[in-house]
């Protein structure tokens, strides 16, 4: 790539921009899964750094080599001293339609496996990562995944769930967009066969396991995922 303009060069001269390093690892189904790693400001390979795992929404979306207003900027976390990791787990776009469609009836399955294996890969390949200081954050589907992480693993010191989903069944009855649950969870929750899928990947079912400190962020203008989806787990 060749830079064509330098319009904001003066504004960026004191801003840390960490080069995004891509990596690949064997994820769910032994598929090759892609991720990005950004090293922290004033990086010193002899030091240990905390890791921030940023989980994208959708889930039919992807972390791209681009600036986007719709998701948090990973450079902010790299600037704050985190090894910042983004993983394009199963369900992500840009890796073929079959890879994207594999999220169907696997909301908490393949993506969770990819995220755990991806973090393991980063830790094993980079001695500067402190495996005892891991945090994770995500919005929308990424927020759902924060709740799913809370019920399935104790490896993170803290979580940030932005406009996430806590209850897949209640979420169906309160959203303005039915395509996602009906496509991804195999139907409607009032039919027994698909109800089993909703229950299987329902973070609320695991609420008794929640113990990781979590920051919940939500807005009343998100009609896709309404505020009770964050108020409910906040009460735990």
């Amino acid at each position: 790539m060749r830079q064509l303009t330098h319009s904001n060069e003066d504004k960026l001269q004191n801003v840390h921009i960490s080069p995004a390093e891509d990596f690949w690892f064997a994820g769910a189904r032994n598929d090759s899964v892609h991720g990005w790693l950004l090293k922290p400001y004033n990086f010193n390979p002899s030091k240990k750094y905390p890791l921030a795992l940023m989980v994208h929404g959708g889930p039919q979306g992807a972390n791209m080599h681009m600036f986007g207003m719709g998701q948090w900027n990973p450079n902010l976390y790299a600037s704050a001293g985190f090894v910042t990791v983004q993983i394009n787990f199963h369900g992500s776009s840009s890796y073929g339609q079959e890879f994207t469609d594999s999220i169907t009836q696997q909301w908490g399955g393949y993506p969770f496996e990819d995220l755990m294996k991806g973090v393991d890969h980063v830790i094993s390949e980079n001695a500067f990562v402190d495996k005892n200081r891991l945090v994770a954050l995500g919005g929308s589907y990424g927020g759902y995944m924060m709740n799913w992480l809370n019920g399935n693993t104790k490896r993170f010191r803290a979580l940030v769930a932005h406009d996430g989903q806590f209850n897949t069944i209640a979420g169906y009855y309160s959203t303005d967009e039915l395509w996602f649950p009906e496509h991804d969870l195999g139907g409607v929750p009032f039919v027994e066969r698909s109800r089993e899928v909703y229950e299987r990947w329902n973070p609320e079912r695991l609420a008794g396991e929640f113990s990781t400190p979590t920051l919940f962020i939500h807005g009343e203008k998100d009609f896709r995922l309404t505020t009770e989806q964050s108020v409910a787990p906040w009460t735990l």
Side-chain angles (χ1 to χ4, degrees):
M1 292 186 292
R2 182 168 61 90
Q3 185 171 352
L4 298 179
T5 65
H6 298 268
S7 302
N8 295 312
E9 195 166 50
D10 58 328
K11 298 179 177 64
L12 293 173
Q13 61 183 348
N14 295 318
V15 176
H16 171 67
I17 303 295
S18 178
E21 304 174 18
D22 60 346
F23 62 90
W24 295 84
F25 63 95
R29 309 188 307 182
N30 205 37
D31 289 342
S32 186
V33 177
H34 175 262
W36 297 105
L37 183 147
L38 283 73
K39 292 173 180 171
Y41 176 66
N42 279 341
F43 175 70
N44 183 338
S46 65
K47 292 184 177 181
K48 290 281 190 178
Y49 295 92
L51 182 148
L53 174 66
M54 301 180 68
V55 182
H56 72 70
Q60 292 86 355
N63 300 300
M64 308 295 285
H65 197 273
M66 60 182 288
F67 179 85
M69 294 295 290
Q71 297 187 30
W72 299 315
N73 191 322
N75 270 291
L76 292 176
Y77 295 87
S79 296
F82 289 90
V83 174
T84 307
V85 173
Q86 298 176 304
I87 293 172
N88 288 317
F89 48 83
H90 281 81
S92 300
S93 54
S94 301
Y95 299 91
Q97 194 62 45
E98 194 276 334
F99 189 86
T100 302
D101 289 343
S102 67
I103 193 73
T104 305
Q105 301 186 37
Q106 279 289 332
W107 255 35
Y110 297 153
F112 175 77
E113 185 177 347
D114 289 341
L115 293 171
M116 295 302 97
K117 287 183 174 180
V119 170
D120 289 341
H121 172 83
V122 169
I123 291 173
S124 67
E125 294 293 318
N126 300 282
F128 51 81
V129 175
D130 186 344
K131 66 179 181 180
N132 296 314
R133 290 193 295 162
L134 309 178
V135 298
L137 53 155
S140 194
Y141 174 84
Y144 160 86
M145 184 52 67
M146 295 305 104
N147 290 318
W148 190 249
L149 292 177
N150 214 340
N152 284 279
T153 180
K154 309 298 182 186
R155 72 188 304 182
F156 295 97
R157 298 281 292 273
L159 303 169
V160 180
H162 171 70
D163 285 24
Q165 186 169 86
F166 171 67
N167 189 316
T168 54
I169 296 167
Y172 177 86
Y173 291 112
S174 59
T175 185
D176 70 337
E177 172 55 77
L178 297 177
W179 183 87
F180 284 108
E182 291 181 2
H183 175 271
D184 292 354
L185 296 172
V188 294
F190 47 84
V191 173
E192 183 177 358
R193 180 167 55 86
S194 51
R195 176 76 172 218
E196 293 175 357
V197 180
Y198 278 77
E199 291 285 10
R200 182 181 182 187
W201 305 123
N202 190 358
E204 187 275 336
R205 180 174 56 82
L206 303 170
E209 299 296 326
F210 281 31
S211 61
T212 304
T214 304
L215 171 65
F216 294 99
I217 306 170
H218 218 110
E220 291 190 346
K221 291 187 177 181
D222 185 342
F223 304 116
R224 199 123 309 160
L225 292 154
T226 49
T227 53
E228 84 282 348
Q229 292 294 323
S230 286
V231 173
W234 177 79
T235 64
L236 296 173

